[in-house]
Amino acid sequence: MFEILRREELAGGSVVLNEISAPRIAKKAKPGQFVILKATETGERIPLTMAETDPKKGTITIIYQVVGKSTMLFKTLQVGDKFQDVIGPLGQPTHLEKVGNVICVGGGTGVAVLHPITRALKELGNNVTAIIGARTKDLLILEDKMKAASHRLFVCTDDGSYGHHGFVSDVLKDLLQKEDVKLVVAIGPVPMMKFCSQITKEYGVKTIVSLNAIMVDGTGMCGCCRVSIDGEIKFACVDGPEFDGHKVDFDELQKRLTSYGEEEKVAVEEFKRCACSA
Amino acid sequence: MEAKKETIPRQPMPEQPPEVRRRNFLEVPLGYTPELAMKEAERCLQCKKPSCMEGCPVSIDIPAFISLIKQGEFTKAVRKIWERNALPAVCGRVCPQEIQCEGNCVLGKKGQPVAIGNLERFVADWERAHGKGDLPPKAKPTGKKVAVVGSGPSGLTVAGDLILKGHDVTIFEAFHKPGGVLVYGIPEFRLPKEIVFSEVNFLERLGVKVECNVVVGRTITVDELFQEGFDAVFIGVGAGLPKFMGIPGENLIGVYSANEYLTRSNLMKAYLFPEYDTPIKKGKNVAVIGGGNVAMDAARTAMRLGADRVRIVYRRSREEMPARLAEIHHAEEEGIEFHLLTAPTRFLGDEHGRLVGMECIKMELGEPDASGRRSPVPIKDSKFEMECDLVVIAVGAGANPILTRSTEGLSLNKWGYIIADPETGKTTKKGVWAGGDIVTGQATVILAMGAGRKASDSIHKYLTWGW
C-alpha cells in the first residue's frame, strides 16, 4: 500500500507531484479534503490536501512544495517507493453548488488544491474565472490544467517575469470592481488568503479559504490545528480545512505556523548533514 | 502459620531513584525479581471467598495465579490470568489496584495488602522474556467476522476474547500504530511502548488482523463495514476530543492540550527529536492545568524534556485530585510543585504570539457539586500572575464526533457519548456494540477492558444465537 506510481518535479524541482496507491482513500475522497502522510518510521505526520483522486485506479495525487525536513524527505522517494502511512480522507469536503460567477484564486502550491475545486465548480455550471500566481515564472504550476478547469485564466507573477506583474489580489480587486461575483475561493499562502478576504469583504462577496494549520492526528483529537473563526475555536482538521475567509483570524494562524521555526532549522540541518555523509 | 505470613512485609518494587529518572524516559519501577515475587506471593492468605476478585473488573482468579507464583510456576500463572485478561503487562502497570483488587485485600485491613498489581506485572514480563510463545487454545472457526474499531484497551480485549472463540477479527485503528491511549497517551516511563506492541503482537499471532490508518467515519463508515461482510462491529474509539478552558490566550504558541503534548511525545516520540522528526516545545517553566493522571503524565514528561520548573495548577485541593496517589507521589518525588486551589483566568503572550505567563485566581472550596466533590469558588481580589513558557491543559477529554456523526441509528447522550447497555455494551444500532471512554467518558484502562469483556460476551452470544 501507499506506493508511489507516478512522480513529477514541477517548478524547477521545488514542487513535487506524487500519485500514490491508496484505494480506500481514493474511493472516498472529495475535493477539498486532505490526507496525512508519514514517510518513514521516524517521520512526522504531514497534512496535504489532495490535488487529484482516481477511484478507479485507486490512487490519490498530492503536490507539495519542498520547504522543510519532512518534504525534503518526501522528495527523496521515487516511483516504486512507499509512504509508510497515509491516512484519510480527512476534513470537510468543499461545499459545491451552482451560484453563477465564481472566481478561484490560487497562489503557490495552493493552486494544486484549488484545481479540483475549480473544475468541480465549472462542471456544476458556474461561470468560473481563475487567477493563479507565483513569485516568479519558474515557480508557477498547473497553468494548463487551470486553463482547462476554468472559463478564463489570469496569471500573475510577483516579479513580472510572466503574465500580470503583481499579486493575484490585484487582479481579484480589478475584477470585483467590474463584475458581479457570487463566490470567491482563495487558496494559497496565509498573507494571500488574508488580502483576498479583505478585498472581497469590501465588496461583500462570500469567500472560502483553505487553512494549512499545523496538525498531528488530523481527526480532532489533539487540537493543535485550532484556529479562531469569528472569535470561536475551531479545528482546521475536522471543522475545516475550509472556512469563511471573512471570519478567519489570519494573523493568529500566521503566528501559530511559526511555532516550530527553530526546531525546523535544526531538523533541516541534521537532514542535510546526513544526506552529505550518506 | 498465620503469624508467619504476617511477618513478611509487602515487598516494595525497586525503582529508578527520582533524581535520575526525572531526566530520562525509562520505566520508573524496575520490576520484581523471581525471588521477590515468590516472597510477595507467600503473603497471600488464599482466602476461601477472595474479596480481591470482586474488586477486579475482569474477575481474574487472583488467588490462583498468586499461588502458582508462590510455586515458581510463572508460565502457568500468566496462563491463569490470560483466562480473563489478555493484557496483564499493561494492567499490572496502570490499573488503580488500590481501589480495586488491592483495595479489597483482607491483609490491607490491618497492614499492607498483597501487591497484586506488581505480581501480575511480574508474570507478564517474565513470560515475555522467558516464555516459549505458547498460545492459548482457540475454538474452531465460526465463519463470523467481527470489526473492532479502535485498538485501545477495550478494543484489544474484545479482539482477544473473540479470536479465542473462533471468530474472524479485524481491528481498525485511525493512528499509524495500534494501542490507542496506551500508545499516544500513557508515557514510556509508565508503560513502555514495546510492551503494548508485544501485547498487540500476541493478538496478531492468535490471528487478529490489525489495519492501521483507517479512520472509521472517514475512510470507511460503520455501515460500509457491514457491506464488506462484517457480522458485528465493536466501537471502542475512546474519548478523543481535547477540552480547552475557554479563557483568553488559549491559542498562544506554547499552550498545548494534554492530548497534543502527550501524542507528540509518546506516539510521535518527539522526546527523541531530532532523531524523530516530530518537534515538541521544551518549556523551561512549565504549568500543567489539572489534577488527574493525565496531568501527572504531562508534568513528568515536561520534567524529562528538561524543564527547570514544573507546576501542577489545580483548582481544588489535594483531597479532590482524581490522580492515583502513586502518580502524585511519583510526581512529587521528581520535583513537580503543586499549586492547589488555583485556576488560570487568562494566558499572557508576547508580540510574536508566544506564551510568557498566565494570570491565575485563588480558589476556596464551597458546597459539593454534581460529582460529589466540593466545588471551587474564586476568592475575590486574589488574582496574580505566574511566569511560564509552556502550558499543558489537562482538564479532561470529550467525545470525538467523527464516527458517531457518520453513523446513522446510533443514539448518543447529551455529551455525545454513545448510549450502550451497561451489561452488554449493545448500542441502539443492530449489530453494533460500544465500550470504554466513548460510552463512559474518560475513565481507566481496566474499566474500558471490563466493558470490552461484557461486549465480547454479548457479541459471541449474538453471533451464536442472534440479536
Side-chain angles (χ1 to χ4, degrees):
Chain A
M1 266 223 274
F2 312 136
E3 184 182 338
I4 298 176
L5 303 178
R6 184 164 67 97
R7 180 185 182 280
E8 285 173 26
E9 291 193 5
L10 316 173
S14 65
V15 174
V16 179
L17 175 152
N18 284 158
E19 186 176 348
I20 304 162
S21 169
R24 274 196 198 275
I25 301 172
K27 206 169 129 190
K28 269 299 174 67
K30 295 194 174 76
Q33 288 189 300
F34 67 95
V35 287
I36 281 189
L37 305 102
K38 184 168 148 305
T40 60
E41 180 62 27
T42 55
E44 195 180 0
R45 292 167 65 101
I46 298 293
L48 286 171
T49 304
M50 289 171 275
E52 199 82 54
T53 56
D54 189 334
K56 283 196 198 112
K57 260 169 88 184
T59 63
I60 60 166
T61 301
I62 51 160
I63 296 179
Y64 57 89
Q65 192 174 5
V66 182
V67 282
K69 153 84 196 262
S70 292
T71 42
M72 286 173 167
L73 181 64
F74 285 7
K75 195 186 171 183
T76 64
L77 299 176
Q78 303 299 322
V79 171
D81 289 344
K82 287 173 183 153
F83 280 88
Q84 192 172 71
D85 303 287
V86 182
I87 303 104
L90 300 169
Q92 303 295 332
T94 311
H95 176 72
L96 297 164
E97 61 178 332
K98 187 178 172 183
V99 291
N101 286 341
V102 176
I103 302 179
C104 293
V105 194
T109 44
V111 177
V113 177
L114 188 69
H115 172 248
I117 297 169
T118 310
R119 190 176 51 197
L121 284 167
K122 188 181 174 190
E123 280 165 6
L124 277 170
N126 290 292
N127 179 31
V128 181
T129 301
I131 311 168
I132 62 171
R135 271 207 328 275
T136 184
K137 187 188 175 190
D138 295 342
L139 298 179
L140 196 71
I141 61 166
L142 303 184
E143 186 187 352
D144 293 345
K145 288 203 162 192
M146 284 303 288
K147 197 166 197 173
S150 60
H151 293 97
R152 61 175 173 168
L153 175 72
F154 294 87
V155 179
C156 316
T157 50
D158 298 1
D159 64 356
S161 52
Y162 186 61
H164 170 83
H165 185 176
F167 299 123
V168 287
S169 46
D170 303 338
V171 180
L172 174 66
K173 187 166 187 166
D174 197 42
L175 290 174
L176 289 178
Q177 271 168 356
K178 294 186 286 199
E179 296 169 16
D180 178 33
V181 176
K182 294 291 178 224
L183 174 72
V184 169
V185 182
I187 304 177
V190 175
M192 183 213 101
M193 293 192 285
K194 180 183 167 182
F195 288 128
C196 287
S197 298
Q198 276 172 356
I199 292 163
T200 58
K201 198 169 184 179
E202 280 174 41
Y203 292 89
V205 180
K206 186 182 168 187
T207 302
I208 296 171
V209 294
S210 180
L211 306 184
N212 55 336
I214 300 175
M215 293 181 188
V216 183
D217 63 287
T219 60
M221 203 208 79
C222 81
C224 171
C225 64
R226 59 197 188 275
V227 288
S228 292
I229 307 296
D230 230 359
E232 215 185 304
I233 290 186
K234 295 279 179 192
F235 294 167
C237 69
V238 287
D239 302 316
E242 292 176 6
F243 292 99
D244 179 342
H246 298 157
K247 295 180 175 170
V248 175
D249 185 340
F250 287 104
D251 294 340
E252 181 187 272
L253 173 66
Q254 184 69 49
K255 281 177 188 165
R256 285 187 66 80
L257 285 171
T258 68
S259 295
Y260 297 102
E262 293 156 37
E263 289 82 358
E264 187 60 54
K265 269 183 216 155
V266 172
V268 166
E269 269 164 34
E270 184 77 9
F271 183 75
K272 284 181 178 161
R273 201 177 57 79
C274 293
C276 285
S277 62
Chain B
M1 195 68 187
E2 290 291 303
K4 187 194 156 202
K5 273 175 188 159
E6 275 171 27
T7 56
I8 302 175
R10 179 176 160 120
Q11 300 300 302
M13 186 175 277
E15 286 181 351
Q16 278 198 75
E19 61 280 11
V20 175
R21 69 178 195 239
R22 68 202 280 269
R23 295 300 191 198
N24 73 48
F25 278 84
L26 302 175
E27 198 176 8
V28 171
L30 302 169
Y32 276 158
T33 58
E35 295 71 32
L36 276 177
M38 287 166 77
K39 198 169 175 190
E40 179 63 28
E42 239 180 82
R43 297 181 65 232
C44 175
L45 298 176
Q46 294 292 317
C47 303
K48 287 275 179 300
K49 281 187 183 167
S51 47
C52 52
M53 282 180 69
E54 286 164 26
C56 176
V58 294
S59 311
I60 293 172
D61 190 343
I62 294 165
F65 96 76
I66 293 183
S67 168
L68 289 164
I69 293 178
K70 194 172 132 187
Q71 297 158 37
E73 297 279 6
F74 303 141
T75 294
K76 283 185 184 160
V78 81
R79 284 181 159 257
K80 182 51 76 181
I81 300 176
W82 280 347
E83 287 173 11
R84 300 298 305 168
N85 178 359
L87 310 170
V90 173
C91 291
R93 287 171 166 83
V94 303
C95 268
Q97 288 99 7
E98 64 279 7
I99 56 165
Q100 295 176 352
C101 52
E102 293 183 23
N104 280 9
C105 176
V106 287
L107 282 185
K109 283 178 186 155
K110 282 186 181 162
Q112 291 281 315
V114 176
I116 301 168
N118 290 354
L119 290 172
E120 182 183 27
R121 173 194 155 135
F122 165 76
V123 281
D125 289 356
W126 193 90
E127 179 66 16
R128 201 172 59 252
H130 306 288
K132 295 198 185 75
D134 295 348
L135 295 171
K138 252 172 82 172
K140 274 194 208 126
T142 61
K144 301 285 185 184
K145 284 178 73 181
V146 181
V148 173
V149 184
S151 62
S154 69
L156 293 179
T157 302
V158 170
D161 283 358
L162 294 178
I163 198 77
L164 290 180
K165 291 190 166 127
H167 305 300
D168 181 348
V169 183
T170 306
I171 297 178
F172 295 96
E173 166 57 43
F175 268 130
H176 55 273
K177 278 202 185 331
V181 73
L182 306 174
V183 167
Y184 76 74
I186 303 178
E188 181 77 16
F189 54 83
R190 218 149 66 74
L191 178 63
K193 300 311 140 211
E194 181 211 329
I195 288 169
V196 182
F197 299 137
S198 134
E199 305 268 35
V200 174
N201 180 258
F202 172 72
L203 296 181
E204 285 179 313
R205 287 195 294 128
L206 282 169
V208 173
K209 284 161 268 183
V210 181
E211 261 201 64
C212 289
N213 299 323
V214 178
V215 183
V216 176
R218 288 268 199 258
T219 318
I220 190 166
T221 64
V222 171
D223 287 317
E224 285 165 343
L225 287 172
F226 286 114
Q227 286 160 27
E228 281 200 2
F230 286 98
D231 299 292
V233 176
F234 174 80
I235 301 167
V237 295
L241 185 77
K243 276 189 187 156
F244 287 94
M245 308 189 67
I247 60 176
E250 227 158 12
N251 291 355
L252 290 165
I253 298 168
V255 179
Y256 284 93
S257 74
N259 273 2
E260 182 188 351
Y261 191 68
L262 292 173
T263 299
R264 281 182 182 271
S265 182
N266 301 333
L267 174 75
M268 305 310 298
K269 299 210 181 292
Y271 68 92
L272 296 173
F273 179 88
E275 188 194 328
Y276 278 72
D277 294 341
T278 304
I280 193 165
K281 285 279 154 212
K282 292 178 179 175
K284 283 286 156 207
N285 198 347
V286 180
V288 177
I289 321 293
N293 289 324
V294 174
M296 300 304 139
D297 285 346
R300 296 171 71 195
T301 296
M303 186 57 92
R304 282 159 173 78
L305 285 170
D308 294 331
R309 189 173 187 193
V310 181
R311 284 176 277 197
I312 292 268
V313 176
Y314 180 55
R315 63 194 181 127
R316 304 184 207 237
S317 75
R318 187 170 291 247
E319 286 71 58
E320 290 81 22
M321 279 185 130
R324 288 180 70 191
L325 273 177
E327 302 305 329
I328 296 172
H329 175 67
H330 273 144
E332 273 186 323
E333 278 186 339
E334 290 164 15
I336 314 284
E337 298 167 40
F338 287 74
H339 288 248
L340 305 169
L341 292 165
T342 306
T345 47
R346 74 192 163 105
F347 300 109
L348 312 166
D350 65 12
E351 69 275 23
H352 306 295
R354 288 174 190 260
L355 179 79
V356 294
M358 67 180 180
E359 183 191 79
C360 295
I361 190 161
K362 285 278 180 198
M363 311 292 266
E364 59 189 352
L365 290 179
E367 294 300 308
D369 66 7
S371 73
R373 296 177 297 177
R374 292 179 65 192
S375 58
V377 183
I379 300 173
K380 237 185 163 184
D381 303 323
S382 69
K383 278 189 182 169
F384 67 100
E385 279 182 18
M386 190 184 271
E387 238 182 81
C388 54
D389 57 359
L390 194 122
V391 157
V392 182
I393 300 172
V395 296
N400 188 304
I402 281 196
L403 182 144
T404 51
R405 265 191 214 153
S406 70
T407 310
E408 267 179 54
L410 210 53
S411 293
L412 310 179
N413 68 17
K414 65 174 171 177
W415 299 285
Y417 294 109
I418 297 173
I419 295 174
D421 185 316
E423 288 313 310
T424 63
K426 272 186 183 176
T427 68
T428 51
K429 189 177 173 73
K430 193 184 171 195
V432 180
W433 283 256
D437 286 3
I438 190 59
V439 171
T440 57
Q442 207 173 18
T444 60
V445 167
I446 189 69
L447 283 175
M449 291 179 59
R453 168 63 38 76
K454 285 177 179 170
S456 67
D457 286 346
S458 173
I459 293 169
H460 180 62
K461 271 185 204 148
Y462 166 70
L463 295 176
T464 318
W465 309 104
W467 182 251

